[in-house]
Amino acid sequence: MQWLTQDAAPGDVLFFAFSGHGAQQEDPRGLEEDGMNETILPVDWKRAGMITDDEIGTLLVQTLPDGVRLTALMDSCHSGTGLDLPFSWNPDRGGGWREETNPYHSLGDVQMISGCEDHDVSADASGGIGANYRASGGAMTTAFCEVLRVHPAPSYAQLLNEMHRLLSARGMPQRPQLSSSQCLHLDRPFLVDDICSNSNPTIGRTCRRTFPPRPRRMDGPLGGMLGIGAAVVGGLIVGDMLGDAVGGGMLGEGIGGMFDFF
């Protein structure tokens, strides 16, 4: 993550993707609305610990200058606010952006599509992307790639709606979430090299209130993984899938190698 952003300069286009296991742990500062930090589980999490959304946001988001675009896919359980971006799109209330209670505003143009809401889980999917990919991978990442194969430059609203339609058709109740560092217009096309200038009037953390932790019971595969270890699912094939899906014109020359996986 440090490698991806350490020399970022205006005009740069970055892409980060994680497809693996996610969980939650108590937020010691109480800034999260549910009192819980979202986490991802790298392969060495038992030795080095989980990585919190606070840490990911510090490494990937807060240091970016104005004029840099970062697109992130977080395909894991409890990933809804996995980068702690200040604005979340709310399609169930007529659309529109919702600002976090304790937002951290930054300069860069960062958009994240997550596999599910903070309280929900993300499923795996097998096949459906072509004859070359039959191993399991993240269901959201699979849907993302399939939509972009058919519609190379959909609007943000079309992309999210089509992803949700594909997941629902396959019996998966999770709903992909969109969060952003900027209040962009959802009718603009989804292009990873389309950079939105900073529109945040203030930069940094705004603290309005604190929240007590509300831990959730973790049953099923996630609870089992937390007990016996963790493994990244689909990371080995996501790079090739995304390269095929968005490489044709959406990523400029030399950008296709900017995928970072765990």
Side-chain angles (χ1 to χ4, degrees), residues 17 29 83 169 186:
R29 298 184 295 169
L83 286 185
L186 268 290

Side-chain angles (χ1 to χ4, degrees), residues 135-149:
S136 292
M140 183 274 285
T141 304
T142 302
F144 175 81
C145 293
E146 289 190 1
V147 172
L148 291 182
R149 285 182 185 277

Side-chain angles (χ1 to χ4, degrees), residues 113 142-166 188-192 242 244-250:
I113 299 176
T142 302
F144 175 81
C145 293
E146 289 190 1
V147 172
L148 291 182
R149 285 182 185 277
V150 177
H151 306 289
S155 68
Y156 281 82
Q158 290 171 335
L159 174 61
L160 292 169
N161 288 337
E162 280 299 298
M163 289 172 63
H164 185 229
R165 184 187 64 79
L166 284 175
R188 66 191 288 179
F190 176 81
L191 298 168
V192 297
L242 290 174
D244 290 343
V246 302
M250 292 186 65

